[in-house]
Amino acid sequence: MTDLLETRHDAGVVRLTLNRPKVRNALNTELLGALAGVLDRAAQDETVRCVVIHGADDHFAAGADIDELAERSASDGPGDPRLGYWQRIQRFPKPLIAAVEGYCLGGGCELALCADLLVVADDAQLGQPEIRLGLIPGAGGLQRLAITLGKTRTMHLVFTGERISGGQAYDWGLASQCCGHGEALATAIATAERLAEGPPLAQRLAKQAVLAATETPQQAAFELGRRSFELLLSTDDKAEGIAAFRDKRPPSFSGK
């Protein structure tokens, strides 16, 4: 197992730790691939009843890996392995819980939104700041936010790139549980242990039914969001957004 993803299995609950603390657990291709692989195996392992994902060192995940993102272009398209990794993560059939402390931004927020239950510390920071890089969320974040929050709040978050606190995410219905600073993992594990005692077949079918009710009608929107993200990868605005991020200055977008 790669050191980028730490795994612990105890009493039916698998705990996965995103382990790139020097970059606040930014999601590079290797980490996403490792996560998809572990979830594939957990899906087939009858001793696994529930999975909890959290981040090392007080942050969930601060977004995509900026160095990888800078090198990507629209020509990557369907050949980009990340697309397959995201699809495998999203297809995990058992209960999946995200325990969020600190930064949960960009791709990190999209990963958290893939979870069935979202446990947040009240001072966690969630958001989709891709617009500041001349991009949009490309792994389903737009659509899942719209399903949960509605059009107006989603438009505001995506247009501005603003963050919301864990407490606000809970008040808006984005999170299932809210707790104090440093308590998200313990709260998520306690919930996972309770779920691990439940009927696995009924849980799996319940998950399928809920996702069919909320996400199946949105599949065309998911695909449109992905294609739009890929198109933006080759724009001047994306290059300017990343350069400004690295230079720690405001970007100057040209619309090209």
Side-chain angles (χ1 to χ4, degrees):
M1 176 56 57
T2 174
D3 291 338
L4 299 181
L5 184 68
E6 296 182 351
T7 304
R8 177 177 175 179
H9 185 181
D10 184 31
V13 176
V14 169
R15 186 174 82 189
L16 302 179
T17 305
L18 308 174
N19 190 36
R20 300 188 72 208
K22 291 183 179 179
V23 288
R24 293 171 176 165
N25 305 316
L27 302 175
N28 65 0
T29 301
E30 184 180 357
L31 177 53
L32 277 176
L35 181 58
V38 169
L39 290 178
D40 286 345
R41 291 188 289 276
Q44 300 301 318
D45 187 343
E46 293 184 358
T47 68
V48 176
R49 297 293 186 86
C50 185
V51 173
V52 175
I53 301 176
H54 76 115
D57 286 9
D58 299 324
H59 292 290
F60 185 75
D65 185 284
I66 198 71
D67 292 330
E68 285 190 350
L69 192 59
E71 298 300 320
R72 295 172 65 192
S73 69
S75 62
D76 295 337
D80 183 356
R82 296 169 62 96
L83 175 58
Y85 296 153
W86 278 110
Q87 290 173 339
R88 287 159 60 190
I89 293 166
Q90 292 160 5
R91 287 197 299 262
F92 181 65
K94 300 178 182 181
L96 181 63
I97 303 175
V100 174
E101 298 273 359
Y103 289 153
C104 180
L105 306 173
C109 190
E110 292 186 284
L111 176 59
L113 292 174
C114 288
D116 306 306
L117 300 177
L118 184 55
V119 179
V120 296
D122 54 9
D123 60 350
Q125 296 290 304
L126 296 86
Q128 301 288 170
E130 289 90 344
I131 199 79
R132 298 177 183 178
L133 301 178
L135 295 169
I136 63 172
L142 277 174
Q143 295 74 25
R144 291 188 175 90
L145 284 174
I147 289 168
T148 305
L149 300 182
K151 173 187 171 182
T152 305
R153 281 177 170 165
T154 299
M155 288 290 195
H156 179 82
L157 291 177
V158 174
F159 280 165
T160 65
E162 290 179 1
R163 304 172 187 174
I164 60 174
S165 69
Q168 190 170 5
Y170 178 74
D171 290 342
W172 284 5
L174 194 62
S176 53
Q177 291 173 276
C178 184
C179 53
H181 175 79
E183 298 175 359
L185 179 59
T187 302
I189 291 293
T191 299
E193 289 173 345
R194 188 164 72 249
L195 296 183
E197 296 176 353
L201 180 57
Q203 289 173 345
R204 182 177 297 211
L205 292 178
K207 178 170 180 171
Q208 289 179 4
V210 172
L211 293 181
T214 56
E215 293 192 357
T216 299
Q218 304 295 328
Q219 288 306 311
F222 277 88
E223 181 59 27
L224 175 61
R226 182 69 192 184
R227 290 199 307 269
S228 298
F229 170 77
E230 291 171 350
L231 176 65
L232 290 168
L233 286 172
S234 291
T235 62
D236 292 345
D237 278 351
K238 174 254 189 176
E240 165 62 11
I242 289 179
F245 177 85
R246 287 172 165 169
D247 295 342
K248 295 181 171 57
R249 60 173 173 81
S252 178
F253 294 123
S254 65
K256 298 180 181 179

